[in-house]
Every structure is written in C-alpha cells, then in structure tokens.
Amino acid sequence: MIRNHINRFGSLYHNFPIVKRTYQVVVAATKEMGIGKNGKLPWNLPSDLRFFKEITVTASSEKMNAVVMGRKTWESIPTKYRPLPGRLNVVLTTRGGSYDIVTSEDVVKCGSLPTALNFLAESSISSKIERVFVIGGGEVLREALNAPECEAIHMTKIESNIECDTFIPPVDLSAFQPWYSSSTLVENDISFRFVTYVRMNRSIIGNSDEEDLTFLPQMILERKIMSMGI
Ligand SMILES: NC(=O)c1ccc[n+]([C@@H]2O[C@H](COP(=O)([O-])OP(=O)(O)OC[C@H]3O[C@@H](n4cnc5c(N)ncnc54)[C@H](OP(=O)(O)O)[C@@H]3O)[C@@H](O)[C@H]2O)c1
C-alpha cells in the first residue's frame, strides 16, 4: 500500500541524514523506576494522562509534536485512542514491512531510535515538527532516557508503592538537574509529583545558549513561574 511507504511526512525508512533531533522524555515512574505491569500502566491517574496530553500536544496551529514509542506501548493504547491525536506517532519496531500499523498519515514506523531521530531531523519533516517526545516504554527508555540527545525528562514521580514488571534506569544526576517540581498530589489514593529534569551541559548537543530554556513546553515554563510566585 502506498500509505505504508509515503505519507505527508515522507517515506518510512531513512538511512542517510546525519543530523539527529534532540528530544524530551515523558514518563511516569515509581521510586524503583517501575513504569508498567502486564503490558499496561499499573495505575489509574487521570490527572497524569491530562498532564501527558497537555505537555505533548503543541498549541501551534502550524506545527505538531512527535511522540516516539516502542511497538508494545503502541499496542497498549486502546485502538480507539490511537494514533494519539494531534501528534505524529512514531512507532519503533524491528519488524519492518511485516508489521502493518500505518493506519493514518500521522503514524510512522521506524526501525531504530537513531533512524527515527534522523527522519525527524530531515528538513522537510523538521520544519513541521515543533518538539519530539520519547514516551516509552521500558525497552525504548532504557536506550533513550540518559542518552546525549535527551534534553529534558518530564517525570511523574509515583510516591506510593505499586508493583511493576517493567523498569527504566534512574535519571543520571551527573547529567540532569531537577528544574521544576510540583507539590505532591493525591489521586485514587496514589501520591505523585510532576518533576522536570533539564540536561546541564546542553552545549554538547548543539544548544549554544545554556540559559535558553524555551525548548521546554510552555506549560512547564508557566508552572515554574507560578511556583516561584512571580
Ligand atoms: N509509565 C509510563 O509512563 C509508561 C509509558 C509508556 C509505556 N509504559 C508501559 O511500559 C510497558 C511497555 O514497555 P516494554 O519495555 O515492554 O515495551 P516498549 O519499549 O513499549 O516496546 C518494545 C518494542 O519496541 C520495539 N523497539 C524497542 N526499542 C527499539 C529499537 N531501539 N529499535 C527498534 N524497535 C525497538 C520492539 O518492537 P518489535 O518487537 O516489534 O521489534 C520492542 O519489542 C507497558 O506496561 C506500558 O504500559 C509506561
């Protein structure tokens, strides 16, 4: 099918571009860095789902954001809610052409994380994509969380003890510093906080102005300003 190979974002498999896009991670994790159980989220936190939507959907009328996820995370999204609307859904899979998930022009399959970042860096795509978020699951985040291209991590820190079977590594605090934290919230008897970590030495990924935090989503900048009482 033609749409499996070409859509308005271009062809699916791209091996040539050299420049990669940077990205931000959005994830909810327990103190033990658990993120999933039995292929699903181990908690029911509607306010975290709202936070996820607000952070990953751009307010821009001209551009959209991209969400990069593993094939199992894609499959964990109920059919009626996928692709995640208003975002370019980039699904990582090694299954190539045998795995047919491209159901709309807002879904792209890529064979590796570098391939996805190269694809998103192509000038014809890059100009249409405002921000790139890597959203899980465990296998993808074990590669992506502390990688040099990761500029910021938006983590919902689940403070209650919840059993998980999928885990991610801890945030590398020699590379990232906590920049924003909400107060502790409670929903469905689960305590959690929203924390944003920012990479300290962003010049290594081509950001010449360390003080420039405008790459962060507007809502995070606004929350930080509100928390400072300005
Ligand atoms: N708490 C959170 O914020 C959060 C967020 C997302 C997901 N989750 C949870 O995490 C769990 C799923 O995580 P998971 O680790 O089992 O699976 P996953 O990372 O979502 O997906 C794994 C699959 O993605 C593909 N993949 C991963 N890395 C790849 C790479 N570098 N290149 C090409 N393909 C790659 C492979 O697909 P193929 O086998 O097709 O090759 C692999 O089997 C679920 O429980 C889900 O609910 C939690």
Side-chain angles (χ1 to χ4, degrees):
M1 289 158 70
I2 286 175
R3 71 168 186 226
N4 266 359
H5 298 282
I6 298 175
N7 61 19
R8 76 180 147 105
F9 293 98
S11 54
L12 294 180
Y13 289 95
H14 295 254
N15 299 319
F16 307 114
I18 298 154
V19 185
K20 281 187 197 165
R21 276 223 46 167
T22 56
Y23 57 83
Q24 302 176 42
V25 162
V26 189
V27 68
T30 64
K31 279 180 265 189
E32 292 77 31
M33 305 307 279
I35 66 161
K37 177 91 193 289
N38 297 329
K40 298 183 183 147
L41 291 175
W43 42 75
N44 173 23
L45 289 177
S47 52
D48 184 49
L49 296 179
R50 280 196 297 277
F51 176 84
F52 174 82
K53 184 173 181 187
E54 211 178 323
I55 207 167
T56 57
V57 175
T58 176
S60 166
S61 55
E62 282 146 31
K63 294 188 178 189
M64 69 200 306
N65 291 333
V67 284
V68 180
M69 71 194 91
R71 190 259 307 162
K72 292 181 184 171
T73 294
W74 166 263
E75 289 179 351
S76 77
I77 303 169
T79 323
K80 64 179 175 181
Y81 295 123
R82 70 188 199 213
L84 297 174
R87 289 149 281 186
L88 175 63
N89 289 228
V90 181
V91 181
L92 301 184
T93 176
T94 56
R95 298 181 182 196
S98 67
Y99 186 60
D100 189 6
I101 53 155
V102 183
T103 51
S104 84
E105 60 181 8
D106 292 339
V107 185
V108 173
K109 274 191 300 187
C110 284
S112 72
L113 182 61
T115 307
L117 297 177
N118 284 341
F119 166 66
L120 292 164
E122 281 180 33
S123 56
S124 59
I125 311 298
S126 189
S127 58
K128 295 175 196 158
I129 299 294
E130 188 167 70
R131 293 185 178 89
V132 178
F133 295 98
V134 177
I135 64 166
E139 189 175 334
V140 171
L141 289 179
R142 285 192 288 277
E143 179 179 354
L145 187 73
N146 291 310
E149 294 83 10
C150 179
E151 290 189 293
I153 301 165
H154 308 282
M155 184 174 290
T156 305
K157 298 189 104 173
I158 310 286
E159 293 170 347
S160 306
N161 291 322
I162 298 180
E163 198 185 326
C164 295
D165 62 12
T166 306
F167 296 86
I168 60 172
V171 173
D172 177 0
L173 293 175
S174 68
F176 292 91
Q177 64 182 0
W179 184 78
Y180 162 76
S181 176
S182 73
S183 53
T184 298
L185 308 164
V186 180
E187 191 172 34
N188 293 334
D189 291 331
I190 297 170
S191 303
F192 60 100
R193 280 185 301 139
F194 298 112
V195 176
T196 290
Y197 298 88
V198 174
R199 179 173 285 283
M200 285 183 264
N201 184 7
R202 295 197 318 286
S203 55
I204 61 169
I205 50 175
N207 191 328
S208 54
D209 185 354
E210 286 284 312
E211 301 301 314
D212 180 9
L213 292 167
T214 53
F215 69 93
L216 291 170
Q218 184 67 21
M219 71 173 283
I220 297 296
L221 298 171
E222 286 169 4
R223 283 178 179 222
K224 172 77 173 179
I225 289 167
M226 278 170 62
S227 73
M228 293 164 71
I230 299 171

